[in-house]
Amino acid sequence: GDFLQTSRSGFHLAMDISAFSLVRIAREAEPLLSVNGGGILTLTYMASQKVVPSYNVMGSAKAALEHEVRQLAYELGPKRIRVNAISAGPINTLSARGISGFMDMLHVSKEKSPLRRNIEPAEVGRAALFLLSEMGSGVTGEILFVDAGYNIMGT
């Protein structure tokens, strides 16, 4: 349905699952990670910044999640804990194909992205490996787009 028709309970549920969950995980992980430092990583989506039809309240939840990444990076940084997010482009999975209009999203992303292709799950995995390893030791509070460059386009 339309975003305007989002119920209070639906809004709270989206925020709880897609945003507050990061706060809860960070709180539980902080005592373990503060011993030697480390990283926390979450997944987001460009609907946090742009309207994606049918994504509705999840765009609001992803916007909140991205603010949490920056806030937690600030608060946990002195303990050598880095917090980042990956914003992946559409990936052709069985569950994603259940989203209304998903195949159109794949086509548009492939057509409009600078690399003229869609991304593969392994590319998201390698980006995660970078952010959580020593290779990403100087990166915190960032949203890393892994979307073949689609997010930079004005179309």
Side-chain angles (χ1 to χ4, degrees):
D2 291 338
F3 179 70
L4 186 61
Q5 301 305 316
T6 303
S7 67
R8 179 181 290 258
S9 63
F11 189 89
H12 287 171
L13 183 62
M15 288 294 175
D16 190 44
I17 292 170
S18 294
F20 183 73
S21 58
L22 178 62
V23 175
R24 180 73 189 269
I25 288 170
R27 184 182 311 137
E28 297 296 323
E30 184 269 334
L32 301 170
L33 294 175
S34 62
V35 175
N36 295 312
I40 297 172
L41 185 62
T42 189
L43 292 171
T44 188
Y45 183 57
M46 67 180 273
S48 65
Q49 301 171 18
K50 299 178 182 359
V51 174
V52 175
S54 300
Y55 207 69
N56 298 342
V57 70
M58 290 304 296
S60 299
K62 294 301 186 182
L65 179 70
E66 290 181 16
H67 172 72
E68 291 169 19
V69 166
R70 293 183 292 274
Q71 186 71 37
L72 290 168
Y74 167 75
E75 292 183 13
L76 296 174
K79 297 176 182 183
R80 297 180 304 134
I81 300 171
R82 297 172 290 110
V83 184
N84 293 292
I86 292 175
S87 182
I91 299 175
N92 192 3
T93 64
L94 181 61
S95 61
R97 287 190 295 272
I99 298 170
S100 176
F102 178 76
M103 296 309 286
D104 292 333
M105 290 172 61
L106 273 178
H107 175 74
V108 169
S109 179
K110 181 178 181 179
E111 180 182 284
K112 303 292 183 185
S113 69
L115 295 179
R116 301 291 192 271
R117 65 177 180 81
N118 289 304
I119 63 164
E120 297 294 328
E123 293 174 301
V124 176
R126 288 190 296 269
L129 178 62
F130 161 73
L131 288 171
L132 292 171
S133 75
E134 286 301 309
M135 292 182 289
S137 63
V139 181
T140 194
E142 294 296 327
I143 312 302
L144 178 61
F145 285 88
V146 181
D147 64 356
Y150 183 77
N151 75 93
I152 69 169
M153 301 306 296
T155 59

